[in-house]
Amino acid sequence: QVQLVESGGGLVQAGGSLRLSCAASVSIVSINAMGWYRQAPGKQRELVATFTRGGTINYADSVKGRFTISRDNAKNMVYLQMDSLKSEDTAVYYCNANVVYPFRGKFDYWGQGTQVTVSS
């Protein structure tokens, strides 16, 4: 079991910045992949940014150049720095951990989500 707790959401004006944090209950070094997803009202959950255990980082095209994902292995923390925020970034942001268990396959764990609202 992996527990994820997000924090850092809030209300910000367009052009502003926010930093989201995700605290994991286990060592993130052993996790296959971790990242951030978001879900806006009436829309499907979508990938924002992820990194794999091997170090590969992926960003959604809509956030490239504005968002930065990072991690602190010693603290078991994952961060999402969001700059130049736009109204279309408004959504609930979820932290995700994709864990591979031997002989059992992959499992996805999700945090409870944190609301980000960008006012125009």
Side-chain angles (χ1 to χ4, degrees), residues 47-89:
L47 180 150
V48 176
T50 63
F51 65 81
T52 67
R53 185 168 55 187
T56 300
I57 296 177
N58 291 306
Y59 292 100
D61 288 342
S62 59
V63 307
K64 284 181 180 177
R66 300 188 298 121
F67 291 10
T68 304
I69 189 171
S70 62
R71 59 184 169 178
D72 186 329
N73 291 340
K75 296 181 179 179
N76 297 324
M77 296 288 294
V78 178
Y79 306 99
L80 185 68
Q81 178 66 40
M82 305 186 293
D83 299 317
S84 302
L85 282 161
K86 304 175 181 179
S87 57
E88 51 262 45
D89 294 319

mmCIF file of all heavy atoms in Angstrom, residues 47-89:
data_model
loop_
_atom_site.group_PDB
_atom_site.id
_atom_site.type_symbol
_atom_site.label_atom_id
_atom_site.label_comp_id
_atom_site.label_asym_id
_atom_site.label_seq_id
_atom_site.Cartn_x
_atom_site.Cartn_y
_atom_site.Cartn_z
ATOM 1 N N LEU A 47 -2.848 13.418 -17.864
ATOM 2 C CA LEU A 47 -1.469 13.489 -17.388
ATOM 3 C C LEU A 47 -0.974 14.926 -17.448
ATOM 4 O O LEU A 47 -1.217 15.638 -18.429
ATOM 5 C CB LEU A 47 -0.589 12.586 -18.244
ATOM 6 C CG LEU A 47 0.901 12.504 -17.942
ATOM 7 C CD1 LEU A 47 1.418 11.117 -18.333
ATOM 8 C CD2 LEU A 47 1.705 13.567 -18.654
ATOM 9 N N VAL A 48 -0.269 15.334 -16.408
ATOM 10 C CA VAL A 48 0.374 16.648 -16.394
ATOM 11 C C VAL A 48 1.884 16.473 -16.529
ATOM 12 O O VAL A 48 2.515 17.033 -17.414
ATOM 13 C CB VAL A 48 0.052 17.406 -15.104
ATOM 14 C CG1 VAL A 48 0.798 18.738 -15.059
ATOM 15 C CG2 VAL A 48 -1.455 17.636 -14.965
ATOM 16 N N ALA A 49 2.461 15.688 -15.634
ATOM 17 C CA ALA A 49 3.908 15.458 -15.652
ATOM 18 C C ALA A 49 4.211 14.195 -14.874
ATOM 19 O O ALA A 49 3.606 13.953 -13.821
ATOM 20 C CB ALA A 49 4.661 16.634 -15.045
ATOM 21 N N THR A 50 5.130 13.409 -15.390
ATOM 22 C CA THR A 50 5.517 12.182 -14.700
ATOM 23 C C THR A 50 7.010 11.941 -14.840
ATOM 24 O O THR A 50 7.643 12.462 -15.763
ATOM 25 C CB THR A 50 4.795 10.942 -15.258
ATOM 26 O OG1 THR A 50 5.169 10.767 -16.627
ATOM 27 C CG2 THR A 50 3.293 11.055 -15.143
ATOM 28 N N PHE A 51 7.556 11.166 -13.919
ATOM 29 C CA PHE A 51 8.921 10.691 -14.092
ATOM 30 C C PHE A 51 8.963 9.218 -13.745
ATOM 31 O O PHE A 51 8.193 8.720 -12.929
ATOM 32 C CB PHE A 51 9.913 11.491 -13.235
ATOM 33 C CG PHE A 51 9.721 11.353 -11.758
ATOM 34 C CD1 PHE A 51 10.214 10.265 -11.062
ATOM 35 C CD2 PHE A 51 9.050 12.329 -11.036
ATOM 36 C CE1 PHE A 51 10.042 10.146 -9.693
ATOM 37 C CE2 PHE A 51 8.881 12.229 -9.673
ATOM 38 C CZ PHE A 51 9.375 11.126 -9.004
ATOM 39 N N THR A 52 9.859 8.508 -14.412
ATOM 40 C CA THR A 52 10.018 7.086 -14.153
ATOM 41 C C THR A 52 11.201 6.852 -13.224
ATOM 42 O O THR A 52 12.021 7.751 -13.003
ATOM 43 C CB THR A 52 10.260 6.306 -15.447
ATOM 44 O OG1 THR A 52 11.540 6.699 -15.979
ATOM 45 C CG2 THR A 52 9.174 6.602 -16.474
ATOM 46 N N ARG A 53 11.287 5.650 -12.713
ATOM 47 C CA ARG A 53 12.394 5.314 -11.832
ATOM 48 C C ARG A 53 13.731 5.481 -12.562
ATOM 49 O O ARG A 53 14.733 5.814 -11.944
ATOM 50 C CB ARG A 53 12.234 3.876 -11.326
ATOM 51 C CG ARG A 53 13.258 3.453 -10.303
ATOM 52 C CD ARG A 53 12.868 2.152 -9.658
ATOM 53 N NE ARG A 53 12.642 1.093 -10.643
ATOM 54 C CZ ARG A 53 12.170 -0.099 -10.329
ATOM 55 N NH1 ARG A 53 11.860 -0.382 -9.077
ATOM 56 N NH2 ARG A 53 11.983 -1.008 -11.269
ATOM 57 N N GLY A 54 13.712 5.271 -13.877
ATOM 58 C CA GLY A 54 14.929 5.421 -14.656
ATOM 59 C C GLY A 54 15.285 6.864 -14.963
ATOM 60 O O GLY A 54 16.346 7.138 -15.522
ATOM 61 N N GLY A 55 14.389 7.799 -14.616
ATOM 62 C CA GLY A 55 14.718 9.202 -14.792
ATOM 63 C C GLY A 55 14.052 9.881 -15.977
ATOM 64 O O GLY A 55 14.250 11.071 -16.197
ATOM 65 N N THR A 56 13.248 9.144 -16.736
ATOM 66 C CA THR A 56 12.559 9.753 -17.864
ATOM 67 C C THR A 56 11.427 10.650 -17.370
ATOM 68 O O THR A 56 10.628 10.233 -16.532
ATOM 69 C CB THR A 56 11.976 8.681 -18.791
ATOM 70 O OG1 THR A 56 13.042 7.859 -19.272
ATOM 71 C CG2 THR A 56 11.268 9.320 -19.971
ATOM 72 N N ILE A 57 11.368 11.858 -17.886
ATOM 73 C CA ILE A 57 10.336 12.818 -17.507
ATOM 74 C C ILE A 57 9.455 13.135 -18.709
ATOM 75 O O ILE A 57 9.970 13.354 -19.808
ATOM 76 C CB ILE A 57 10.954 14.114 -16.954
ATOM 77 C CG1 ILE A 57 11.717 13.815 -15.659
ATOM 78 C CG2 ILE A 57 9.875 15.166 -16.701
ATOM 79 C CD1 ILE A 57 12.423 15.018 -15.069
ATOM 80 N N ASN A 58 8.166 13.151 -18.477
ATOM 81 C CA ASN A 58 7.212 13.496 -19.527
ATOM 82 C C ASN A 58 6.303 14.628 -19.053
ATOM 83 O O ASN A 58 5.875 14.642 -17.897
ATOM 84 C CB ASN A 58 6.357 12.284 -19.902
ATOM 85 C CG ASN A 58 7.154 11.210 -20.606
ATOM 86 O OD1 ASN A 58 7.808 11.469 -21.602
ATOM 87 N ND2 ASN A 58 7.100 10.001 -20.086
ATOM 88 N N TYR A 59 6.031 15.533 -19.950
ATOM 89 C CA TYR A 59 5.101 16.631 -19.675
ATOM 90 C C TYR A 59 4.009 16.647 -20.732
ATOM 91 O O TYR A 59 4.251 16.339 -21.899
ATOM 92 C CB TYR A 59 5.811 17.983 -19.710
ATOM 93 C CG TYR A 59 6.792 18.228 -18.598
ATOM 94 C CD1 TYR A 59 8.156 18.069 -18.803
ATOM 95 C CD2 TYR A 59 6.359 18.655 -17.346
ATOM 96 C CE1 TYR A 59 9.060 18.308 -17.788
ATOM 97 C CE2 TYR A 59 7.258 18.898 -16.323
ATOM 98 C CZ TYR A 59 8.608 18.725 -16.550
ATOM 99 O OH TYR A 59 9.511 18.964 -15.530
ATOM 100 N N ALA A 60 2.821 17.026 -20.318
ATOM 101 C CA ALA A 60 1.779 17.307 -21.288
ATOM 102 C C ALA A 60 2.206 18.509 -22.110
ATOM 103 O O ALA A 60 2.852 19.432 -21.594
ATOM 104 C CB ALA A 60 0.457 17.604 -20.575
ATOM 105 N N ASP A 61 1.858 18.510 -23.386
ATOM 106 C CA ASP A 61 2.239 19.622 -24.254
ATOM 107 C C ASP A 61 1.735 20.954 -23.710
ATOM 108 O O ASP A 61 2.402 21.982 -23.853
ATOM 109 C CB ASP A 61 1.689 19.400 -25.661
ATOM 110 C CG ASP A 61 2.414 18.291 -26.409
ATOM 111 O OD1 ASP A 61 3.537 17.930 -25.997
ATOM 112 O OD2 ASP A 61 1.855 17.787 -27.399
ATOM 113 N N SER A 62 0.589 20.924 -23.081
ATOM 114 C CA SER A 62 -0.034 22.159 -22.606
ATOM 115 C C SER A 62 0.717 22.812 -21.452
ATOM 116 O O SER A 62 0.491 23.984 -21.143
ATOM 117 C CB SER A 62 -1.477 21.892 -22.184
ATOM 118 O OG SER A 62 -1.514 20.920 -21.152
ATOM 119 N N VAL A 63 1.615 22.070 -20.807
ATOM 120 C CA VAL A 63 2.325 22.631 -19.650
ATOM 121 C C VAL A 63 3.831 22.732 -19.863
ATOM 122 O O VAL A 63 4.547 23.256 -19.007
ATOM 123 C CB VAL A 63 2.046 21.820 -18.366
ATOM 124 C CG1 VAL A 63 0.546 21.667 -18.140
ATOM 125 C CG2 VAL A 63 2.730 20.462 -18.392
ATOM 126 N N LYS A 64 4.312 22.240 -20.990
ATOM 127 C CA LYS A 64 5.760 22.295 -21.261
ATOM 128 C C LYS A 64 6.253 23.730 -21.215
ATOM 129 O O LYS A 64 5.643 24.634 -21.785
ATOM 130 C CB LYS A 64 6.058 21.666 -22.621
ATOM 131 C CG LYS A 64 6.019 20.158 -22.626
ATOM 132 C CD LYS A 64 6.345 19.599 -24.008
ATOM 133 C CE LYS A 64 6.301 18.081 -24.016
ATOM 134 N NZ LYS A 64 6.550 17.511 -25.368
ATOM 135 N N GLY A 65 7.370 23.903 -20.532
ATOM 136 C CA GLY A 65 7.946 25.235 -20.412
ATOM 137 C C GLY A 65 7.368 26.060 -19.283
ATOM 138 O O GLY A 65 7.906 27.124 -18.960
ATOM 139 N N ARG A 66 6.280 25.583 -18.682
ATOM 140 C CA ARG A 66 5.656 26.325 -17.572
ATOM 141 C C ARG A 66 5.695 25.548 -16.256
ATOM 142 O O ARG A 66 5.797 26.144 -15.187
ATOM 143 C CB ARG A 66 4.205 26.657 -17.923
ATOM 144 C CG ARG A 66 4.032 27.507 -19.156
ATOM 145 C CD ARG A 66 2.577 27.962 -19.326
ATOM 146 N NE ARG A 66 1.656 26.848 -19.501
ATOM 147 C CZ ARG A 66 0.632 26.606 -18.673
ATOM 148 N NH1 ARG A 66 0.397 27.399 -17.660
ATOM 149 N NH2 ARG A 66 -0.174 25.570 -18.908
ATOM 150 N N PHE A 67 5.571 24.238 -16.347
ATOM 151 C CA PHE A 67 5.549 23.389 -15.146
ATOM 152 C C PHE A 67 6.845 22.591 -15.055
ATOM 153 O O PHE A 67 7.415 22.197 -16.076
ATOM 154 C CB PHE A 67 4.386 22.403 -15.200
ATOM 155 C CG PHE A 67 3.015 23.019 -15.060
ATOM 156 C CD1 PHE A 67 2.819 24.391 -15.108
ATOM 157 C CD2 PHE A 67 1.915 22.209 -14.866
ATOM 158 C CE1 PHE A 67 1.560 24.952 -14.974
ATOM 159 C CE2 PHE A 67 0.637 22.745 -14.732
ATOM 160 C CZ PHE A 67 0.464 24.123 -14.794
ATOM 161 N N THR A 68 7.259 22.318 -13.825
ATOM 162 C CA THR A 68 8.455 21.518 -13.595
ATOM 163 C C THR A 68 8.184 20.502 -12.497
ATOM 164 O O THR A 68 7.778 20.882 -11.385
ATOM 165 C CB THR A 68 9.647 22.398 -13.180
ATOM 166 O OG1 THR A 68 9.878 23.395 -14.171
ATOM 167 C CG2 THR A 68 10.897 21.546 -13.024
ATOM 168 N N ILE A 69 8.409 19.238 -12.801
ATOM 169 C CA ILE A 69 8.263 18.182 -11.807
ATOM 170 C C ILE A 69 9.630 17.885 -11.209
ATOM 171 O O ILE A 69 10.646 17.915 -11.908
ATOM 172 C CB ILE A 69 7.634 16.905 -12.422
ATOM 173 C CG1 ILE A 69 7.275 15.900 -11.333
ATOM 174 C CG2 ILE A 69 8.543 16.301 -13.476
ATOM 175 C CD1 ILE A 69 6.452 14.722 -11.851
ATOM 176 N N SER A 70 9.637 17.636 -9.914
ATOM 177 C CA SER A 70 10.897 17.311 -9.254
ATOM 178 C C SER A 70 10.613 16.376 -8.082
ATOM 179 O O SER A 70 9.458 16.157 -7.717
ATOM 180 C CB SER A 70 11.611 18.573 -8.775
ATOM 181 O OG SER A 70 10.835 19.254 -7.818
ATOM 182 N N ARG A 71 11.658 15.840 -7.501
ATOM 183 C CA ARG A 71 11.479 14.915 -6.393
ATOM 184 C C ARG A 71 12.625 15.047 -5.398
ATOM 185 O O ARG A 71 13.709 15.494 -5.755
ATOM 186 C CB ARG A 71 11.407 13.469 -6.886
ATOM 187 C CG ARG A 71 12.652 13.029 -7.662
ATOM 188 C CD ARG A 71 12.480 11.640 -8.188
ATOM 189 N NE ARG A 71 13.530 11.290 -9.136
ATOM 190 C CZ ARG A 71 13.651 10.114 -9.731
ATOM 191 N NH1 ARG A 71 12.779 9.158 -9.472
ATOM 192 N NH2 ARG A 71 14.629 9.872 -10.590
ATOM 193 N N ASP A 72 12.353 14.670 -4.184
ATOM 194 C CA ASP A 72 13.357 14.608 -3.133
ATOM 195 C C ASP A 72 13.301 13.189 -2.580
ATOM 196 O O ASP A 72 12.412 12.859 -1.781
ATOM 197 C CB ASP A 72 13.061 15.642 -2.048
ATOM 198 C CG ASP A 72 14.150 15.722 -0.996
ATOM 199 O OD1 ASP A 72 14.802 14.688 -0.722
ATOM 200 O OD2 ASP A 72 14.347 16.807 -0.426
ATOM 201 N N ASN A 73 14.219 12.348 -3.011
ATOM 202 C CA ASN A 73 14.185 10.942 -2.608
ATOM 203 C C ASN A 73 14.358 10.775 -1.099
ATOM 204 O O ASN A 73 13.763 9.882 -0.492
ATOM 205 C CB ASN A 73 15.280 10.167 -3.339
ATOM 206 C CG ASN A 73 15.000 10.039 -4.822
ATOM 207 O OD1 ASN A 73 13.871 10.182 -5.272
ATOM 208 N ND2 ASN A 73 16.051 9.798 -5.593
ATOM 209 N N ALA A 74 15.152 11.631 -0.496
ATOM 210 C CA ALA A 74 15.405 11.511 0.937
ATOM 211 C C ALA A 74 14.152 11.776 1.761
ATOM 212 O O ALA A 74 13.963 11.200 2.837
ATOM 213 C CB ALA A 74 16.523 12.458 1.352
ATOM 214 N N LYS A 75 13.290 12.646 1.241
ATOM 215 C CA LYS A 75 12.062 13.012 1.968
ATOM 216 C C LYS A 75 10.836 12.286 1.429
ATOM 217 O O LYS A 75 9.748 12.475 1.955
ATOM 218 C CB LYS A 75 11.838 14.527 1.887
ATOM 219 C CG LYS A 75 12.919 15.348 2.573
ATOM 220 C CD LYS A 75 12.604 16.835 2.477
ATOM 221 C CE LYS A 75 13.666 17.663 3.190
ATOM 222 N NZ LYS A 75 13.389 19.121 3.090
ATOM 223 N N ASN A 76 11.018 11.492 0.388
ATOM 224 C CA ASN A 76 9.881 10.810 -0.254
ATOM 225 C C ASN A 76 8.819 11.815 -0.704
ATOM 226 O O ASN A 76 7.616 11.615 -0.469
ATOM 227 C CB ASN A 76 9.278 9.753 0.669
ATOM 228 C CG ASN A 76 10.254 8.647 0.980
ATOM 229 O OD1 ASN A 76 11.041 8.249 0.125
ATOM 230 N ND2 ASN A 76 10.229 8.151 2.209
ATOM 231 N N MET A 77 9.284 12.857 -1.346
ATOM 232 C CA MET A 77 8.403 13.935 -1.792
ATOM 233 C C MET A 77 8.514 14.125 -3.293
ATOM 234 O O MET A 77 9.591 13.969 -3.880
ATOM 235 C CB MET A 77 8.771 15.253 -1.105
ATOM 236 C CG MET A 77 8.581 15.260 0.396
ATOM 237 S SD MET A 77 6.848 15.286 0.879
ATOM 238 C CE MET A 77 6.348 16.901 0.282
ATOM 239 N N VAL A 78 7.399 14.484 -3.905
ATOM 240 C CA VAL A 78 7.355 14.853 -5.311
ATOM 241 C C VAL A 78 6.715 16.230 -5.392
ATOM 242 O O VAL A 78 5.749 16.508 -4.667
ATOM 243 C CB VAL A 78 6.551 13.840 -6.140
ATOM 244 C CG1 VAL A 78 6.468 14.278 -7.594
ATOM 245 C CG2 VAL A 78 7.176 12.461 -6.041
ATOM 246 N N TYR A 79 7.234 17.071 -6.256
ATOM 247 C CA TYR A 79 6.758 18.448 -6.358
ATOM 248 C C TYR A 79 6.345 18.766 -7.791
ATOM 249 O O TYR A 79 6.824 18.160 -8.744
ATOM 250 C CB TYR A 79 7.853 19.420 -5.925
ATOM 251 C CG TYR A 79 8.423 19.150 -4.560
ATOM 252 C CD1 TYR A 79 9.608 18.465 -4.395
ATOM 253 C CD2 TYR A 79 7.750 19.583 -3.416
ATOM 254 C CE1 TYR A 79 10.130 18.205 -3.141
ATOM 255 C CE2 TYR A 79 8.273 19.333 -2.152
ATOM 256 C CZ TYR A 79 9.453 18.643 -2.027
ATOM 257 O OH TYR A 79 9.962 18.396 -0.770
ATOM 258 N N LEU A 80 5.474 19.743 -7.901
ATOM 259 C CA LEU A 80 5.117 20.290 -9.203
ATOM 260 C C LEU A 80 5.137 21.804 -9.086
ATOM 261 O O LEU A 80 4.273 22.392 -8.433
ATOM 262 C CB LEU A 80 3.739 19.810 -9.659
ATOM 263 C CG LEU A 80 3.337 20.252 -11.068
ATOM 264 C CD1 LEU A 80 4.217 19.552 -12.116
ATOM 265 C CD2 LEU A 80 1.864 19.951 -11.334
ATOM 266 N N GLN A 81 6.139 22.417 -9.688
ATOM 267 C CA GLN A 81 6.226 23.873 -9.738
ATOM 268 C C GLN A 81 5.453 24.348 -10.962
ATOM 269 O O GLN A 81 5.767 23.949 -12.076
ATOM 270 C CB GLN A 81 7.682 24.326 -9.818
ATOM 271 C CG GLN A 81 7.860 25.817 -9.928
ATOM 272 C CD GLN A 81 7.413 26.560 -8.681
ATOM 273 O OE1 GLN A 81 7.649 26.107 -7.559
ATOM 274 N NE2 GLN A 81 6.751 27.699 -8.866
ATOM 275 N N MET A 82 4.468 25.185 -10.720
ATOM 276 C CA MET A 82 3.613 25.655 -11.803
ATOM 277 C C MET A 82 3.771 27.153 -11.935
ATOM 278 O O MET A 82 3.453 27.904 -11.005
ATOM 279 C CB MET A 82 2.147 25.297 -11.512
ATOM 280 C CG MET A 82 1.921 23.812 -11.253
ATOM 281 S SD MET A 82 0.184 23.377 -11.078
ATOM 282 C CE MET A 82 -0.208 24.232 -9.557
ATOM 283 N N ASP A 83 4.302 27.578 -13.057
ATOM 284 C CA ASP A 83 4.511 29.003 -13.340
ATOM 285 C C ASP A 83 3.658 29.440 -14.528
ATOM 286 O O ASP A 83 3.170 28.597 -15.284
ATOM 287 C CB ASP A 83 5.989 29.270 -13.634
ATOM 288 C CG ASP A 83 6.889 28.921 -12.457
ATOM 289 O OD1 ASP A 83 6.520 29.264 -11.306
ATOM 290 O OD2 ASP A 83 7.958 28.324 -12.677
ATOM 291 N N SER A 84 3.497 30.727 -14.659
ATOM 292 C CA SER A 84 2.711 31.291 -15.776
ATOM 293 C C SER A 84 1.366 30.593 -15.894
ATOM 294 O O SER A 84 0.952 30.176 -16.983
ATOM 295 C CB SER A 84 3.496 31.154 -17.087
ATOM 296 O OG SER A 84 4.742 31.806 -17.011
ATOM 297 N N LEU A 85 0.698 30.484 -14.788
ATOM 298 C CA LEU A 85 -0.569 29.756 -14.763
ATOM 299 C C LEU A 85 -1.626 30.438 -15.610
ATOM 300 O O LEU A 85 -1.686 31.670 -15.705
ATOM 301 C CB LEU A 85 -1.046 29.598 -13.321
ATOM 302 C CG LEU A 85 -0.328 28.500 -12.536
ATOM 303 C CD1 LEU A 85 -0.495 28.703 -11.035
ATOM 304 C CD2 LEU A 85 -0.837 27.139 -12.954
ATOM 305 N N LYS A 86 -2.456 29.598 -16.218
ATOM 306 C CA LYS A 86 -3.541 30.072 -17.070
ATOM 307 C C LYS A 86 -4.865 29.572 -16.491
ATOM 308 O O LYS A 86 -4.900 28.600 -15.731
ATOM 309 C CB LYS A 86 -3.365 29.529 -18.487
ATOM 310 C CG LYS A 86 -2.028 29.848 -19.139
ATOM 311 C CD LYS A 86 -1.925 29.165 -20.493
ATOM 312 C CE LYS A 86 -0.581 29.457 -21.158
ATOM 313 N NZ LYS A 86 -0.470 28.778 -22.476
ATOM 314 N N SER A 87 -5.943 30.197 -16.916
ATOM 315 C CA SER A 87 -7.254 29.791 -16.411
ATOM 316 C C SER A 87 -7.544 28.330 -16.757
ATOM 317 O O SER A 87 -8.215 27.633 -15.993
ATOM 318 C CB SER A 87 -8.337 30.701 -16.958
ATOM 319 O OG SER A 87 -8.328 30.697 -18.380
ATOM 320 N N GLU A 88 -7.034 27.894 -17.886
ATOM 321 C CA GLU A 88 -7.276 26.501 -18.286
ATOM 322 C C GLU A 88 -6.509 25.483 -17.450
ATOM 323 O O GLU A 88 -6.695 24.270 -17.625
ATOM 324 C CB GLU A 88 -6.967 26.295 -19.773
ATOM 325 C CG GLU A 88 -5.615 26.792 -20.217
ATOM 326 C CD GLU A 88 -5.691 28.168 -20.845
ATOM 327 O OE1 GLU A 88 -6.390 29.064 -20.291
ATOM 328 O OE2 GLU A 88 -5.040 28.361 -21.894
ATOM 329 N N ASP A 89 -5.647 25.950 -16.572
ATOM 330 C CA ASP A 89 -4.970 25.042 -15.646
ATOM 331 C C ASP A 89 -5.837 24.731 -14.422
ATOM 332 O O ASP A 89 -5.465 23.896 -13.596
ATOM 333 C CB ASP A 89 -3.646 25.656 -15.167
ATOM 334 C CG ASP A 89 -2.632 25.813 -16.291
ATOM 335 O OD1 ASP A 89 -2.524 24.899 -17.126
ATOM 336 O OD2 ASP A 89 -1.969 26.871 -16.333
#
